Amino acid sequence: MTIRDSYDYIIVGSGIGGLYTALLAREHGSVLLLTKGTIEDCNTRYAQGGIAAAVGDADSPELHEQDTLEAGAGLCVPETVRILAREGPTAIQELVRLGVEFDTQQGEVLLAREGAHSVPRVLHAGGDATGANIETALMKRLLESGATVKEHAMLTSIVVSDDGRATGVRAFHAQTGEESEFAGRFIVLATGGAGRLFRYTTNPEVATGDGVALAFRAGAAVNDMEFYQFHPTALHLPGAPTFLISEAVRGEGGVLRNALGEAFMARYHAMGDLAPRDVVARAIDTEMRATSSPHALLDVTHIRASRITTRFPTIYSYCLGHGLDITKQPIPVAPAAHYMIGGIKTTSWGETTVPGLYACGEVASTGAHGANRLASNSLLETMVFGKRLVERTLGRNGGEPDGDRTERVFKLPNRHVPCAQVPPLTLGNLQDLLWRNSGLVRNGDELLWAARVLSVWRTMSRARQAPMKSGQGSDRAANELVNMVLIARLMVEGALVRQESRGAHYRTDFPEPRKEWELHTVFVGEERGWHQPSCASGIPQ
Ligand code: SIN
C-alpha cells in the first residue's frame, strides 16, 4: 500500500455535494477530491426538475417550510427544515455567483410547480437540464481552484484511529488496481444515492450507495434507510432504458391516465396530479394492477407543442430518439427507484457520529426530508448543508442547538436460511430481490425473506472485499456489489422493524401510520452470532 500525501480535506464524490464542498473548502486549505469514475459521472447531472427555493413574490421561507414538513409525513427534523427553507434564497444567489444561469423571462426568474408545493417554487436551467447546468458550472470552477482531483479512485475503507477519529481513506485505482492511502483532517462523503439496487431506477450506474457502506463499516450511525423514494413517472418503453420524466411535466399541465384513458389522480388526492410523490407513485401502481397494464400514461398532447419542446428539450429529444413524439402521443410511465431519503446520520452541520467524518447530499440523512422528500428539495439541501459542513470544519456553529430526533437504535442482524435455496449473488438477482420484496409496496413476509437471502449473500460477498492485484483489471464492480449487499440489508431490516406505513414506506400488513413509530430508525454496527432459523414460519422460499 502506498501512503500518499496528506490533505486538509478529502472529499469523495463529484456530484453537486462533492464539487460545492470542495470549492468552499479550497478557500481554507488543501483539497483532494476522489471519484470512482470520471469527474462527470454523477447523479446530479440527471436532475431535471430543478431546485426549490422561496424566491417568488407569492412565496416565503415559512410556506416552503410548511410544504416540506407536510410532505415529510411527521418525520422531518423541524429545525433542519427551517434552516433549509430560510437559507434557500442565499443558496440560489450562490449558484448564480458560481455561474449557473437559471431560466428567466423578461428578466424575471421562471418558477415551476411540482408535486406537493403550494406555489410555483422550482428554479430550472436549460429547461429540464438543471442538474447538468449546475454540474458543468461547478466543475469548471473546481478545475480552476487548484484542488487535486483523482478519477477512478474506488474507496475500500475509511481509516479510523484508535481513538475513533476518521483520519484518512484507502482506495484503489479502478483501472490499474494500484492501492493508495490518503490522510486528511476532514473526510467528507458526498457519494450520492443507491438507485442501482433496484431493477428499475432513474439513477445512473454510479449510484451504488458506496458512502453509506463505507461509513457504516467505519462505525457511523445510519438512519431511516427504509424510506426510499420511488419516482412516479419513469419512461416505460420497450427497448428504452428507464429514464426520468420530470414531475415538472405535470406541473405544466400533464395529466396521468390509466390504460383505459381515464384521468385517475382526482380519485386519490385533493391535489390530483400534483399530489405528494409517494401518493402518485402508489396510485399509478394501483391503476397498473387494476388494468393489468405494465404502465400508466402521462398525457401532454393537449399542451402547445412549442411549449413542450422549449420547456422539456431533454425529455422531448430522448423520447423522440426512441420513436415517441410526446407532443402527439401519451408517454408510457411507471414508478422507478429514485432517491435515498435515509443515509448516514448527520447533524445540520454535516457531522456524522464518527469524529472527523462528514457527509452531505443524498448520502447524508439530515432529517430535512422526513419520510417523503418534497420534490426538488435535494439540490437545495446539498447546497445549504454543504456550506454549513465547511463552516463547521472551521469551528463555526453559530451556537444553535441541533434538532432533537426521537429514535430507536438497532444492530444489523445476521440471519440463517438453512432450508431454502438462495439464488447466486449477481447484480441482477440483487436488483430483482429489492424491486420485488422491498419496493414501492412491501409486506413483512417478503421483507423477511429478502433479509435472509441478503444475510447469505453477505457471507458470499465478503471474500470479494480485497481489491484485485495490479494488472488484473477493474474490481470496481465487485466492490460496489459488496457495498450494495450491505446497503440492501440496512434498507430491508429498516423496513422490517418499521411496522407501519408512512411516506415512502408502505406495508400492506401495516397500512396506516402509527403514533408509536413517529421516530427514526438508526442502525449502528452488526450483531454477533446468528438469528436461529424458523422454517415452519411460512416464509416464501
Ligand atoms: C423531477 O424532475 O421530477 C425530479 C426532481 C426531484 O427528484 O426532486
Side-chain angles (χ1 to χ4, degrees), residues 126-165:
D128 55 4
T130 311
N133 276 274
I134 292 178
E135 180 74 12
T136 304
L138 297 188
M139 201 171 71
K140 184 166 173 285
R141 289 298 179 115
L142 185 79
L143 295 175
E144 294 162 358
S145 73
T148 304
V149 176
K150 289 191 189 295
E151 298 182 322
H152 305 293
M154 178 80 206
L155 260 64
T156 50
S157 60
I158 291 163
V159 181
V160 180
S161 64
D162 290 344
D163 62 355
R165 190 175 176 84

Side-chain angles (χ1 to χ4, degrees), residues 407-463:
E407 34 182 56
R408 214 175 267 184
V409 183
F410 303 89
K411 278 191 187 303
L412 196 54
N414 291 300
R415 299 175 186 276
H416 258 311
V417 195
C419 50
Q421 289 290 315
V422 172
L425 170 57
T426 62
L427 177 59
N429 284 342
L430 175 67
Q431 291 171 329
D432 283 341
L433 183 76
L434 270 269
W435 183 257
R436 277 197 312 263
N437 289 44
S438 188
L440 186 62
V441 177
R442 300 128 179 225
N443 68 61
D445 282 352
E446 288 176 0
L447 286 167
L448 185 53
W449 170 242
R452 288 176 163 184
V453 172
L454 287 164
S455 263
V456 175
W457 280 351
R458 165 200 179 243
T459 53
M460 289 178 180
S461 69
R462 273 188 153 184

Side-chain angles (χ1 to χ4, degrees), residues 290-342:
T291 57
S292 303
S293 173
H295 57 74
L297 297 165
L298 179 55
D299 187 2
V300 296
T301 55
H302 55 288
I303 303 172
R304 208 167 10 100
S306 60
R307 178 83 192 128
I308 296 296
T309 55
T310 48
R311 179 66 183 85
F312 303 111
T314 314
I315 295 172
Y316 174 74
S317 312
Y318 188 88
C319 291
L320 200 59
H322 288 90
L324 181 77
D325 182 347
I326 65 172
T327 64
K328 298 194 170 72
Q329 295 160 276
I331 314 168
V333 290
H338 184 59
Y339 187 88
M340 185 170 71
I341 294 173

Side-chain angles (χ1 to χ4, degrees), residues 7-9 11 20-32 94 97 145-147 185-186 386-396:
Y7 295 84
D8 292 313
Y9 295 86
I11 295 173
Y20 183 56
T21 49
L23 267 175
L24 296 182
R26 186 66 195 99
E27 292 169 20
H28 307 286
S30 57
V31 171
L32 170 64
E94 180 72 349
R97 179 183 74 81
S145 73
R185 287 171 60 215
F186 307 107
K387 183 172 180 201
R388 287 167 66 92
L389 182 163
V390 175
E391 285 177 1
R392 188 71 192 104
T393 64
L394 303 173
R396 302 180 196 144

Side-chain angles (χ1 to χ4, degrees), residues 19-147:
L19 297 179
Y20 183 56
T21 49
L23 267 175
L24 296 182
R26 186 66 195 99
E27 292 169 20
H28 307 286
S30 57
V31 171
L32 170 64
L33 185 130
L34 297 170
T35 179
K36 69 178 177 181
T38 67
I39 191 167
E40 294 179 2
D41 294 337
C42 65
N43 216 351
T44 301
R45 195 162 281 286
Y46 299 84
Q48 293 177 358
I51 178 163
V55 296
D57 291 343
D59 205 358
S60 67
E62 291 71 29
L63 201 52
H64 188 184
E65 180 183 336
Q66 200 179 302
D67 289 347
T68 303
L69 292 171
E70 188 101 352
L75 268 201
C76 294
V77 176
E79 291 80 356
T80 306
V81 174
R82 188 158 309 138
I83 295 165
L84 177 82
R86 187 187 69 205
E87 301 297 321
T90 310
I92 299 298
Q93 283 168 9
E94 180 72 349
L95 281 171
V96 171
R97 179 183 74 81
L98 292 168
V100 177
E101 291 179 23
F102 288 106
D103 296 338
T104 55
Q105 197 169 43
Q106 289 156 0
E108 291 292 313
V109 72
L110 285 169
L111 297 172
R113 185 94 189 261
E114 288 188 15
H117 287 273
S118 52
V119 294
R121 177 180 291 139
V122 181
L123 294 94
H124 43 90
D128 55 4
T130 311
N133 276 274
I134 292 178
E135 180 74 12
T136 304
L138 297 188
M139 201 171 71
K140 184 166 173 285
R141 289 298 179 115
L142 185 79
L143 295 175
E144 294 162 358
S145 73

Side-chain angles (χ1 to χ4, degrees), residues 266-278:
R267 283 195 263 119
Y268 291 87
H269 197 278
M271 292 179 90
D273 288 290
L274 288 176
R277 197 168 273 187
D278 59 316

